[in-house]
Amino acid sequence: MSTAVVVGSGPNGLAAALTLAAAGVAVTVIEANDTLGGGVRSAESTLPGLVHDECSGLHPLALGSPFAREFDLAGAGLAWTRAPIELAHPLADGGAALHHSAAETAAGLDDASWSAVFGPLAARFDTISEEFLQPMLHVPRHPIHLARFGAYSALPTDLMARRLRTPAARALFAGTAAHAFRPFDTPFSAAIGVALTTAAHRFGWVAARGGSGAIADAILTRCAEYGVKLETGRRVDSLDELGPVDLVMLDTAPGAAARICGDRMPGRIRHAYNTFRHGPGAFKVDFAVEGGVPWTYEPARSAGTVHLGGSWQETAAAEKLVARGQLPEHPFVLVGQQYLADPTRSVGDLHPLYSYAHVPAGYQGDATDAITARIEQFAPGFRDRVRAIAVRTTTDMTRHNANYVGGDVVTGANSARQLVFRPRISVHPYDTGVPGVYLCSAATPPGAGAHGMCGFNAAHRALDRL
Ligand SMILES: Cc1cc2nc3c(=O)[nH]c(=O)nc-3n(C[C@H](O)[C@H](O)[C@H](O)COP(=O)(O)OP(=O)(O)OC[C@H]3O[C@@H](n4cnc5c(N)ncnc54)[C@H](O)[C@@H]3O)c2cc1C
């Protein structure tokens, strides 16, 4: 029987473990943290009984993941749930709401250009996502659908926003595009926004019932069926620690993979890993809020996600400053109200509120007040409802998970080059150049998210070569 060690238990590490184990490989997962799950963990971070998502909170790309389908994670207990409105974007004079249907969103925005752009993409999202959830260098099975998606994705966000007619529609798109953590005038900076918006219209901006930890729990349930062994509280620093195994899957950042492989890694690949670029950081604050958030923009009171970026131009200016290493006076803040989709996370009228601001890489200051003030700006009276907070700085973020270098929660800058070729230019992006050793983290295609597709693809590459 072949043997494998998976280093790291994020969704990609666990997806790799499960895929290998299901193919008959004896797998052991080694995790540095005392708990499993990496970016998909939940905890009572503020007050007893309130379930907060420690990292990933909302999952427009996870529901349709081929990995989740192949292993029937729903059958293993993973249930997705949606708030009445997917996403709200309050503005000084009203706001914009993203509904499950592109047509309903366009009607609310009074902007037919929204459904003209996103309606056809959402209708074909299953074939489109099949293409972008694998390495970019492949012969597409659906070239025409992909071309339309690619034509929007390749644009700078500034140009993509101009395809929409009204200021509210532009602001709404800017908020989803900001998930790329990229300046809006750079090529391909629209790609993540196009993918997330389209996925929201296809599947919804969903939360996992019981907390994001339920994603890890479902994969672990399947892993147990195949006898995967688990070891926590052990950080791997070198391949030499692992003894003789046929396969090693590294659910780590590229720099860490280079250190773990040491001299066994060819110099050019080591160089590529050591010069892999990380993006800006996230500064996270979880709140326990009594009575929910008193948003002025009514639809935000029913939305699973709320983006606080202001107009398209304001979001663009904030993202540009962050990329230059400065904290804007009004940073882009994402607020997660997962409890609206999943009331089991609340205790009576006390609710767990999730938020993070985009901050410069390795930001050493305290953005708690900036985040609180941003929410208060759109929800006067919010401060008075806060009963407890839990803060995670960029330093805490890296300490909690070594993959989030400098607080980079998406494991690698989404530059044009790294969107297309990550972690390096290669037709085999999972290969590390060390026989039997593969990189399987979000630093590989298709990138960040709790979809497990990096691990799933890497495991198939490893099995092909075994
Ligand atoms: C604050 C925050 C918000 C996010 N929001 C969302 C969201 O809403 N939706 C979404 O889809 N995604 C979101 N993400 C991103 C998502 O969580 C990640 O893209 C995803 O978890 C990546 O999975 P992974 O398996 O590649 O790595 P990770 O989940 O980062 O896991 C890597 C694991 O490897 C372990 N490890 C690393 N090095 C070693 C070592 N040397 N030895 C042993 N173990 C090691 C780490 O401890 C960690 O457990 C968010 C992330 C953060 C932090």
Side-chain angles (χ1 to χ4, degrees), residues 117-135:
V117 171
F118 294 111
L121 293 181
R124 293 169 193 129
F125 189 67
D126 293 12
T127 52
I128 293 169
S129 61
E130 196 182 300
E131 302 290 353
F132 76 69
L133 290 175
Q134 54 178 304

Side-chain angles (χ1 to χ4, degrees), residues 187-279:
F188 283 92
S189 56
I192 304 279
V194 173
L196 293 182
T197 305
T198 310
H201 287 317
R202 171 67 181 91
F203 295 116
W205 208 296
V206 293
R209 191 181 304 279
S212 294
I215 302 171
D217 290 346
I219 310 176
L220 286 165
T221 297
R222 291 286 180 239
C223 281
E225 289 164 11
Y226 291 104
V228 172
K229 293 191 181 127
L230 307 166
E231 197 180 329
T232 54
R234 178 177 164 201
R235 194 180 94 162
V236 173
D237 291 307
S238 163
L239 290 180
D240 297 334
E241 298 168 29
L242 303 179
V245 281
D246 299 304
L247 296 173
V248 176
M249 311 299 293
L250 299 173
D251 184 14
T252 69
R259 280 195 299 281
I260 290 169
C261 293
D263 291 344
R264 297 197 217 174
M265 183 176 276
R268 73 192 154 75
I269 298 179
R270 198 163 56 237
H271 176 74
Y273 280 18
N274 284 329
T275 53
F276 180 78
R277 288 181 51 214
H278 282 276

